[in-house]
Amino acid sequence: MDDTWVRAATVADVPPGTLHGVTVERTTVVLANVDGDVYALRDRCSHADFPLHDGVLQGETLECVHHGAKFDVCSGKATGFPAIRPVKSYEVDVRDGDIFIQLD
């Protein structure tokens, strides 16, 4: 494993169907657990720069509670207005109950 992979949380911190905000090496990240699969996005809405970890996760869709922007947690793609730009997504690797993300 190269040094761009960093531990972000444990699987227990992000139960299925939930969001969890963390700061990893000065980068704010929201982790999303969709049916046991964990995804990671930059924790800032591309519409108005509010934190996404306050949002609502419905399936693979994260809705920002501040203005209703929607994002696909698997890719970061904006799927609902007012957001039109994606948010950065990070590669995730789950090992021995720990969640690692790849920062670049």
Side-chain angles (χ1 to χ4, degrees):
M1 176 170 60
D2 63 54
D3 61 1
T4 61
W5 286 95
V6 292
R7 185 183 173 282
T10 68
V11 173
D13 292 330
V14 194
T18 67
L19 301 169
H20 181 66
V22 296
T23 300
V24 180
E25 296 187 3
R26 295 181 292 179
T27 301
T28 56
V29 176
V30 59
L31 302 172
N33 186 327
V34 179
D35 298 325
D37 293 322
V38 179
Y39 300 93
L41 301 174
R42 183 172 182 266
D43 192 15
R44 304 307 292 176
C45 180
S46 64
H47 163 250
D49 203 36
F50 286 109
L52 289 172
H53 73 265
D54 293 334
V56 176
L57 182 63
Q58 295 178 345
E60 296 177 353
T61 300
L62 188 163
E63 181 176 350
C64 180
V65 297
H66 300 282
H67 297 108
K70 293 182 181 179
F71 302 92
D72 180 325
V73 295
C74 304
S75 67
K77 178 181 177 184
T79 59
F81 291 110
I84 56 172
R85 293 182 325 246
V87 293
K88 180 168 179 57
S89 64
Y90 300 96
E91 292 291 324
V92 173
D93 188 21
V94 177
R95 281 179 264 131
D96 299 322
D98 287 324
I99 300 167
F100 291 84
I101 62 170
Q102 189 171 34
L103 298 177
D104 38 50

